[in-house]
Amino acid sequence: EPEVTQTPSHQVTQMGQEVILRCVPISNHLYFYWYRQILGQKVEFLVSFYNNEISEKSEIFDDQFSVERPDGSNFTLKIRSTKLEDSAMYFCASSETSGGNTGELFFGEGSRLTVL
Amino acid sequence: GQNIDQPTEMTATEGAIVQINCTYQTSGFNGLFWYQQHAGEAPTFLSYNVLDGLEEKGRFSSFLSRSKGYSYLLLKELQMKDSASYLCDAMDSNYQLIWGAGTKLIIKP
């Protein structure tokens, strides 16, 4: 069964460093998302991406964050100058459609970021 | 504003039935999703409702009333592996998911 894959599964970094989280969405999906979940808290939407550009972003997704689809398969989230409060699980998700059908999101296993 | 309300935590007994309620307020509506999330894992899709009524899928059923902004997830014949958080999410008119905080379901033997 096709799945969304994320790397690394866990990254530890020093405050102020840059981090790149990588995702390979399901191959025929067109919509890509990044979410984060701080330990014990709700899943928070960061950004959605379609047709090689950001379609929506939340208040959390400020200039510290950027996304890129550098080739036909990878979808990356870059976090510049990490802060302690960026420590969270970051989930990548993809969907075949944005609306219509079910808009079901398929999630990767997550990348746990720990900022020291 | 847009909002999802669901209980923080519920406890039920193995073999029993539990109903997890959710109310939502969104700008427009394009459907209501339920996801299951085990601790430390990614959410996994359970159900999608866009029309009023009950959708049944094995031991899990989901109900929607659009006029009331209300949904519930019904879990029957509870198993220990059903211990997880259940996330209620509504899709607004821009097809964006508004996530609830999740209901932590604890199953006791």
Side-chain angles (χ1 to χ4, degrees):
Chain A
E1 185 175 326
E3 58 181 16
V4 177
T5 57
Q6 290 186 239
T7 54
S9 56
H10 189 191
Q11 179 152 0
V12 180
T13 190
Q14 295 290 327
M15 196 167 54
Q17 296 297 304
E18 177 181 283
V19 164
I20 297 177
L21 306 178
R22 292 182 169 77
C23 170
V24 179
I26 295 173
S27 60
N28 65 331
H29 285 187
L30 302 176
Y31 297 83
F32 314 121
Y33 310 82
W34 281 102
Y35 291 85
R36 78 172 185 190
Q37 187 174 34
I38 296 169
L39 188 64
Q41 297 185 25
K42 65 190 289 186
V43 175
E44 299 175 293
F45 168 74
L46 292 178
V47 65
S48 59
F49 193 86
Y50 170 71
N51 201 26
N52 287 321
E53 61 182 26
I54 291 173
S55 50
E56 290 285 336
K57 60 182 181 179
S58 71
E59 296 173 348
I60 303 168
F61 195 87
D62 58 21
D63 293 342
Q64 185 193 5
F65 295 89
S66 62
V67 289
E68 196 176 42
R69 189 158 164 80
D71 53 44
S73 59
N74 289 284
F75 179 50
T76 63
L77 175 69
K78 182 187 289 185
I79 309 173
R80 287 179 281 273
S81 189
T82 50
K83 300 174 283 194
L84 295 176
E85 54 265 38
D86 295 327
S87 295
M89 182 75 93
Y90 288 81
F91 290 109
C92 173
S94 68
S95 65
E96 197 169 354
T97 63
S98 177
N101 206 359
T102 67
E104 176 186 347
L105 296 177
F106 292 80
F107 284 85
E109 291 296 311
S111 293
R112 180 167 295 285
L113 176 65
T114 302
V115 181
L116 301 176
Chain B
Q2 306 199 99
N3 193 47
I4 305 284
D5 284 313
Q6 53 182 130
T8 304
E9 187 174 297
M10 299 181 70
T11 303
T13 305
E14 190 177 14
I17 298 173
V18 71
Q19 177 175 312
I20 303 174
N21 295 323
C22 169
T23 57
Y24 63 88
Q25 293 173 306
T26 55
S27 301
F29 180 73
N30 277 301
L32 193 291
F33 295 79
W34 284 94
Y35 281 83
Q36 180 191 60
Q37 186 179 27
H38 286 98
E41 298 183 13
T44 55
F45 173 81
L46 288 178
S47 68
Y48 171 72
N49 295 67
V50 68
L51 299 176
D52 289 348
L54 188 69
E55 295 276 345
E56 296 187 73
K57 192 186 290 186
R59 293 190 299 114
F60 292 5
S61 304
S62 56
F63 171 83
L64 177 67
S65 168
R66 289 173 298 173
S67 62
K68 295 181 179 178
Y70 167 70
S71 172
Y72 67 72
L73 180 70
L74 189 72
L75 293 79
K76 303 175 186 175
E77 301 168 20
L78 286 170
Q79 302 174 9
M80 297 303 293
K81 67 178 182 180
D82 298 329
S83 292
S85 286
Y86 291 86
L87 312 177
C88 171
D89 315 314
M91 184 176 276
D92 69 12
S93 57
N94 293 319
Y95 299 103
Q96 295 303 310
L97 278 179
I98 312 302
W99 290 78
T103 298
K104 183 179 180 181
L105 178 62
I106 300 167
I107 310 295
K108 295 185 175 179

